[in-house]
């Protein structure tokens, strides 16, 4: 009875935390000082919940059959909430009382980062505490949990992961941004804008390259060039690629600027872009940043519409279709298309540098885009790159660990066209059976990739030749050729792999990972699928697949597995 009363009271505290915690955590990432009052109240709830679920009577009850795991899980959530709020979020918010991230809004093209210095230490400490709290929730065995406890743990896991990621991003930003903005001396950065209408592994062809110059907080756009212009005159690879990369991607990433992100590891692509850009322009850059038109649409939500060179207004709603599809209907000449793309991108960044919109809105937009693997960065300075490493921003290959098996599903256009705009990838994951957390057993994991071409049936005649490719590379106009590179989880054996159209696959290895390459041609309104089954003796209870970000913002590039007790797929 005593445990039940204390549990009911603690549940009330935790319910308030889970109701208001997500908004408070987001506020800390965008403007820490504004979140302090709410966090102080939630921290009191967390301290009370922890106290109610950590006394000797509760601890004895945790060892009883059936009810014990429920109480133990509940106690872990309470303790982790106390850690997250009292030792992470609240101290950071208090430290930020004298600093507003709104001070980062550019004034006359200059960003003042002096206020970030006071946040470096507290944000790093907050990120460490948040990571520990999230790990505690991750390690809860959910198998025996039922009803309200199971739901509470699931909600807590989402909240703690989101909070941990946001604080980690804030910590790394406070460390990197002053130097990147030239506080220690002038710098040049290469900004690449990917075109998701023509897929490459990390998003799309790098159609536009913008040279940014920073000096004492001042940011300016120095030069804009198309990938076509930067690829002119290259007759042989500008950089010697390792043999394992050439076996899968040949030498194209080092011969065509468009193909820089065909290799799905930005720690390789970043230096490659720097070297190719220097060879073609003579300019050496301190780092390389990648975005795509979906990122621009998110930023436009914060800054409002901008006007491009031909007088058109670019908005959050029309940016993606205009830049990735309608431009090819409006302009038939590639040079005019490139000019429009460059003008639109430049207009968005000029608006940012003029200080349009809210800082909180801009940071929220960038946080969402980064979480979706649409913003990537590589730094030439090894110390700065070490701050980026291991984050979503780094664009590294997925790593399988004891908790999660991770695939990479990277898509490349094989049509020589802009037909990727019409192709939708649908990825699903499933285990053959469940198991308790920490228990090792033989298990199979199935990945299914379904691809559908939504182009109209008369695409051959109704779509412009530049969109269809006009059959130049042997693919019928209106059809879409997709080359899928599927990276298997490390330590997992291949059981079977097949495509619904019966086409064979090729095998390769990159960075110790087995890679299966499938080619699929999709006629308008047609679909096809690829199924891959792997096995391992593992304690992992989760599965993820990192998929090429597309033009469709509703498609999450990270797909999560679902544990079920379906029978294992048959061996072939």
């Amino acid at each position: 009875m005593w445990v039940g009363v204390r549990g009911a009271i603690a549940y009330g505290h935790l319910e308030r935390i889970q109701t208001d915690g997500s908004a408070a955590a987001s506020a800390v990432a965008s403007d820490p000082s504004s979140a302090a009052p709410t966090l102080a109240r939630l921290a009191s709830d967390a301290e009370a919940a922890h106290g109610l679920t950590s006394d000797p009577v509760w601890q004895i009850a945790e060892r009883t059959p059936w009810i014990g795991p429920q109480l133990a899980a509940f106690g872990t959530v309470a303790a982790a909430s106390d850690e997250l709020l009292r030792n992470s979020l609240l101290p950071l918010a208090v430290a930020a009382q004298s600093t507003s991230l709104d001070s980062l809004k550019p004034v006359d093209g200059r960003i003042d980062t002096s206020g970030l210095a006071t946040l470096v230490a507290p944000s790093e400490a907050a990120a460490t505490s948040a990571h520990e709290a999230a790990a505690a929730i991750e390690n809860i065995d959910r198998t025996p949990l039922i009803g309200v406890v199971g739901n509470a743990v699931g909600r807590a896991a989402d909240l703690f992961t989101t909070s941990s990621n946001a604080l980690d991003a804030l910590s790394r930003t406070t460390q990197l941004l002053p130097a990147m903005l030239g506080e220690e001396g002038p710098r040049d950065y290469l900004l690449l804008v990917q075109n998701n209408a023509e897929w490459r592994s990390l998003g799309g062809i790098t159609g536009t390259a913008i040279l940014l110059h920073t000096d004492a907080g001042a940011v300016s756009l120095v030069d804009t060039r198309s990938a076509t212009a930067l690829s002119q005159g290259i007759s042989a690879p500008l950089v010697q690629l390792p043999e394992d990369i050439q076996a899968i991607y040949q030498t194209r990433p080092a011969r065509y600027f468009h193909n820089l992100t065909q290799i799905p590891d930005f720690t390789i692509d970043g230096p490659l872009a720097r070297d190719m850009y220097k060879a073609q322009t003579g300019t050496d850059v301190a780092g390389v940043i990648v975005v795509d038109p979906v990122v621009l649409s998110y930023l436009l939500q914060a800054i409002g519409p901008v006007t491009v060179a031909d007088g058109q207004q670019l908005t959050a709603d029309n940016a993606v279709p205009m830049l990735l599809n309608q431009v090819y209907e409006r302009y038939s000449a590639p040079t005019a298309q490139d000019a429009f793309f460059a003008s639109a991108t430049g207009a968005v960044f000029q608006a940012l540098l003029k200080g349009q919109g809210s800082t909180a809105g801009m940071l929220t937009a960038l946080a969402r885009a980064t979480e979706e693997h649409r913003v990537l960065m590589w730094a030439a300075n090894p110390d700065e790159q070490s701050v980026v490493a291991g984050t979503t921003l780094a664009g590294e290959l997925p790593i399988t660990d004891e908790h999660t098996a991770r695939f990479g599903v990277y898509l490349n256009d094989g049509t020589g066209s802009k037909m990727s705009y019409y192709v939708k990838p649908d990825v699903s994951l499933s285990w053959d059976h469940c198991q308790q957390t920490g228990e090792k057993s033989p298990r199979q994991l199935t990945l299914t990739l379904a691809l559908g071409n939504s182009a109209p049936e008369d695409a051959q005649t109704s779509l412009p030749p530049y969109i269809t490719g006009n059959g130049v590379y042997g693919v019928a106009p209106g059809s879409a050729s997709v080359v899928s590179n599927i990276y298997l989880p490390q330590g997992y054996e291949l059981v079977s792999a097949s495509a619904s159209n019966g086409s064979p696959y090729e095998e390769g290895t990159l960075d110790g990972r087995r890679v299966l390459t499938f080619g699929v041609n999709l006629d308008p309104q047609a679909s096809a699928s690829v199924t891959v089954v792997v096995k391992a003796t593992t304690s992992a209870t989760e599965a993820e697949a990192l998929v090429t970000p597309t033009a469709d913002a509703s498609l999450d590039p990270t797909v999560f597995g679902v544990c079920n007790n379906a029978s294992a797929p048959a061996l072939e």
Side-chain angles (χ1 to χ4, degrees):
M1 182 66 177
W2 175 246
V3 170
V5 171
R6 292 171 72 88
I9 298 172
Y11 178 78
H13 290 296
L14 293 177
E15 184 69 14
R16 285 192 290 273
I17 292 170
Q18 294 196 341
T19 299
D20 299 334
S22 181
S26 298
V28 170
S30 59
D31 191 356
S33 60
S34 69
T38 300
L39 288 172
R41 173 173 55 81
L42 295 179
S44 296
D45 281 318
E47 183 178 17
H50 187 197
L52 288 164
T53 58
S54 59
D55 74 325
V57 176
W58 186 281
Q59 293 173 356
I60 292 173
E62 286 182 352
R63 296 195 288 269
T64 60
W66 187 76
I67 192 63
Q70 319 299 317
L71 298 178
F74 201 67
T76 298
V77 172
S81 298
D82 196 22
E83 174 71 20
L84 176 66
L85 286 156
R86 283 207 303 138
N87 297 330
S88 179
L89 296 176
L90 184 57
L92 174 59
V94 171
Q97 287 293 312
S98 60
T99 301
S100 172
L101 291 187
D102 202 49
S103 63
L104 291 175
K105 178 181 287 191
V107 177
D108 296 328
R110 184 179 183 277
I111 301 173
D112 182 6
T113 62
S114 58
L116 290 179
T118 61
L119 296 180
V120 173
S123 63
E124 186 174 7
T128 300
S129 292
H131 175 75
E132 293 172 353
I137 300 295
E138 175 70 24
N139 288 327
I140 294 175
D141 182 6
R142 302 190 201 178
T143 306
L145 303 184
I146 61 172
V148 67
V149 178
N151 292 334
V153 171
R155 290 170 58 196
D158 293 339
L159 170 61
F160 280 59
T161 299
T162 300
S163 301
S164 178
N165 290 342
L167 290 173
D168 182 70
L170 177 62
S171 173
R172 295 172 194 266
T173 298
T174 59
Q175 296 176 60
L176 287 173
L177 197 56
M180 288 183 63
L181 290 172
E183 295 294 351
E184 300 171 359
R187 290 190 174 191
D188 290 318
Y189 283 89
L190 183 61
L191 175 67
L192 303 177
V193 185
Q194 296 192 90
N195 185 328
N196 313 87
E198 186 172 350
W199 281 338
R200 293 297 182 267
S201 297
L202 294 182
I205 60 169
T206 48
T208 300
I210 299 173
L211 184 64
L212 298 175
H213 182 74
T214 66
D215 186 6
V219 184
S220 56
L221 277 64
V222 177
D223 187 30
T224 302
R225 303 196 189 197
S226 69
T228 301
L230 288 168
S231 299
Q232 289 178 351
I234 300 178
S235 58
L238 295 183
V239 175
Q240 181 64 35
L241 297 174
E243 292 184 4
D244 55 352
I245 291 178
Q246 291 190 46
I248 301 172
Y249 303 103
Q250 302 178 20
T251 60
R252 287 187 295 267
R255 288 189 293 123
Y256 303 103
F257 211 82
H258 312 71
N259 290 342
L260 281 169
T261 54
Q262 191 172 21
I263 305 166
D265 185 345
F266 202 65
T267 64
I268 297 173
D269 302 338
L272 179 60
R274 186 267 313 268
D275 292 345
M276 291 185 70
Y277 190 79
K278 183 178 181 180
Q280 292 294 82
T281 67
T283 301
D284 197 6
V285 296
V288 182
I289 303 167
V290 159
V291 297
D292 67 14
V294 177
V295 178
L296 301 184
S297 74
Y298 294 166
L299 290 172
L300 286 167
Q301 291 177 3
I303 65 177
V306 298
T307 302
V308 297
D310 67 353
Q312 293 287 321
Q313 267 209 332
L314 200 67
T315 70
D317 293 330
N318 72 14
V320 172
M322 185 178 290
L323 293 173
L324 297 182
N325 188 251
Q326 295 168 9
V327 63
Y328 306 114
E329 298 177 346
R330 184 175 303 168
Y331 302 107
S332 58
T335 53
Q337 297 162 5
D338 291 340
F340 182 85
F341 205 88
S343 170
T345 305
V348 173
F349 281 92
Q350 289 290 4
L352 287 173
L353 295 178
K354 290 178 182 177
Q356 287 185 213
S358 69
T359 304
M362 180 186 69
L363 292 176
T364 298
L366 290 174
R368 177 184 177 186
T370 302
E371 191 69 19
E372 294 176 1
H373 300 266
R374 297 182 185 277
V375 180
L376 305 174
M377 178 185 169
W378 171 80
N381 183 306
D383 292 336
E384 294 176 10
Q385 179 60 21
S386 68
V387 177
V388 177
T391 70
T392 303
L393 197 64
E396 298 164 303
L397 289 171
I399 297 175
T400 291
D401 56 36
E402 60 180 341
H403 296 294
T404 308
R406 293 184 173 91
F407 285 91
V409 180
Y410 301 109
L411 309 171
N412 288 273
D413 168 75
T415 318
S417 71
K418 299 299 182 285
M419 288 299 296
S420 298
Y421 182 82
Y422 295 94
V423 182
K424 177 182 178 179
D426 185 2
V427 175
S428 61
L429 294 163
S430 62
W431 292 99
D432 60 343
H433 67 272
C434 302
Q435 65 187 28
Q436 291 188 351
T437 301
E439 175 187 324
K440 277 194 173 184
S441 67
R443 307 176 73 201
Q444 291 188 346
L445 176 60
T446 300
L447 177 143
T448 302
L449 165 65
L451 296 165
N453 182 359
S454 66
E457 291 185 356
D458 63 348
Q460 180 175 358
T461 55
S462 64
L463 296 181
Y466 197 85
I467 289 180
T468 66
N470 208 29
V472 172
Y473 294 96
V475 179
S479 296
S481 175
V482 181
V483 179
S484 306
N485 303 121
I486 299 179
Y487 284 62
L488 306 188
Q490 299 146 292
Y492 284 66
E493 298 178 39
L494 179 65
V495 175
S496 64
S498 61
S500 62
N501 65 353
S503 64
Y505 61 86
E506 297 180 359
E507 291 196 51
T509 302
L510 182 59
D511 194 23
R513 294 164 174 82
R514 194 170 179 179
V515 184
L516 310 183
T517 300
F518 292 84
V520 175
N521 279 3
L522 300 168
D523 292 333
Q525 299 297 306
S527 61
S529 63
V530 169
T531 302
V532 175
V533 183
V534 296
K535 67 178 182 179
T537 298
T538 177
S539 60
T541 56
E542 305 292 336
E544 291 179 9
L546 181 57
V547 186
T548 296
T550 73
D552 189 345
S554 68
L555 295 178
D556 192 336
T558 303
V559 176
F560 299 94
V562 177
C563 187
N564 60 60
N565 290 309
S567 58
L571 301 182
E572 292 187 351

